[in-house]
Amino acid sequence: MHTQRMAVSVLALLTLAACGTESGSGSGSGDGSDTVQSDVPVTGVAWSVDSLTVGGKKSGAPEGSRLEIDPKGRAKAGFGCNHISADARVEGDRITFGKPVSTQMACDETTEKAEKAALAAMDGEVTAKLSGEKLTLTTEGGDTIALSEEKPTDLVGTRWAVNTLLSGETATSVPADLPKERVPHLTFGEDGTVHGNSGCNSFHGKAAVKGSTIDFGPPAGTRKMCPEAEMEVERAVLAALDGPATYTIKGSTLTVTSKDGKGIGATAAPAKSEGTQEHG
């Protein structure tokens, strides 16, 4: 239940972001005096959740908590566990949202507490203030969610931890209970290569980057057998890294999609852990 309510809250915030995209463009249905105005682009920008304040108590958001809305008005969000999407619109600085769709993974206790805090902070009508690269959403009761615009992370040299498997319009979360050394990841090199772990085996191969496309060559690597859950993830990851693909980076989130619709979603991971899982 609280997952769906969280999705509604997320949508409210994302809809608000869309409202402030075109400063002075006349979008929105208010008289313009109370419509959120933006001095940075908002639609298509990844927002990182900085903190939640509920009942006067401030707490940090789970690592990887992000919000964004695409130019078509489709909202996508996550607080480090489930993936949420829905349609949304705004009137002035008041928010109306559609029915959200969410994955139903069980989350760890810390994440669930943060989700509950987000629900409490976003319950009911909300208003917002956008100042530079900071966005603050406030309920009538004074609870808030604070966010910051994420700058695009460099594709090359970043260790990307895969957390989502894509197949056409379907997005599936990588199982949260995978052993740490089996969480798939990849790193692109300046020499046109890619290496990492696909969920069971380590791999390396060619990855020619040009514009918004990557042409993956056949990967080489180890050939161990792992439990079926890990092998299933590996097959999905390798399917996305096969031949020509397109990629986008929004904040610290990378999406790679092959020509047949197979793809992955990944998040920039701390560089200090690079190399610790290559042969696990």
Side-chain angles (χ1 to χ4, degrees):
M1 179 65 70
H2 71 257
T3 297
Q4 292 183 337
R5 292 181 58 208
M6 179 184 72
V8 167
S9 303
V10 165
L11 290 180
L13 174 61
L14 293 170
T15 303
L16 175 66
C19 175
T21 300
E22 301 294 336
S23 180
S25 66
S27 60
S29 58
D31 62 6
S33 61
D34 60 352
T35 299
V36 175
Q37 298 297 318
S38 173
D39 51 10
V40 295
V42 188
T43 299
V45 174
W47 293 96
S48 174
V49 181
D50 298 330
S51 63
L52 309 164
T53 301
V54 180
K57 184 177 180 180
K58 183 177 180 179
S59 61
E63 183 179 357
S65 297
R66 294 176 177 85
L67 317 168
E68 69 174 85
I69 187 168
D70 65 27
K72 297 180 181 180
R74 189 66 177 174
K76 296 180 180 181
F79 279 79
C81 184
N82 286 290
H83 298 276
I84 305 155
S85 65
D87 296 319
R89 67 184 177 86
V90 67
E91 293 180 349
D93 60 356
R94 300 294 173 178
I95 299 160
T96 305
F97 45 85
K99 183 178 179 180
V101 177
S102 174
T103 56
Q104 299 293 324
M105 291 185 63
C107 308
D108 62 81
E109 183 178 359
T110 299
T111 300
E112 288 200 3
K113 286 183 178 179
E115 288 179 354
K116 290 179 180 179
L119 285 169
M122 302 287 293
D123 192 18
E125 287 192 327
V126 295
T127 58
K129 180 178 180 181
L130 185 60
S131 177
E133 299 173 0
K134 298 289 186 179
L135 181 64
T136 303
L137 187 67
T138 307
T139 69
E140 290 186 338
D143 296 334
T144 64
I145 293 182
L147 307 102
S148 297
E149 180 193 6
E150 288 189 336
K151 299 299 183 183
T153 303
D154 290 333
L155 173 69
V156 175
T158 299
R159 183 179 185 279
W160 297 101
V162 179
N163 52 26
T164 307
L165 306 175
L166 308 173
S167 180
E169 296 297 318
T170 303
T172 305
S173 298
V174 171
D177 58 354
L178 281 183
K180 185 176 181 181
E181 68 275 9
R182 301 295 183 224
V183 175
H185 61 88
L186 62 159
T187 301
F188 294 89
E190 295 182 359
D191 57 354
T193 63
V194 61
H195 69 274
N197 188 294
S198 49
C200 174
N201 291 282
S202 59
F203 74 94
H204 63 273
K206 298 292 185 182
V209 180
K210 183 177 181 181
S212 61
T213 65
I214 305 173
D215 191 2
F216 291 98
T222 58
R223 296 180 179 274
K224 296 181 296 184
M225 294 299 294
C226 295
E228 180 56 26
E230 297 166 27
M231 297 303 295
E232 184 176 349
V233 169
E234 176 163 282
R235 288 191 289 269
V237 170
L238 293 178
L241 309 181
D242 182 17
T246 59
Y247 80 94
T248 60
I249 297 177
K250 294 178 180 179
S252 56
T253 299
L254 167 70
T255 301
V256 177
T257 308
S258 66
K259 60 182 179 180
D260 62 358
K262 302 295 184 181
I264 57 172
T267 302
K272 64 182 180 180
S273 61
E274 175 64 35
T276 61
Q277 300 178 12
E278 297 303 317
H279 305 289

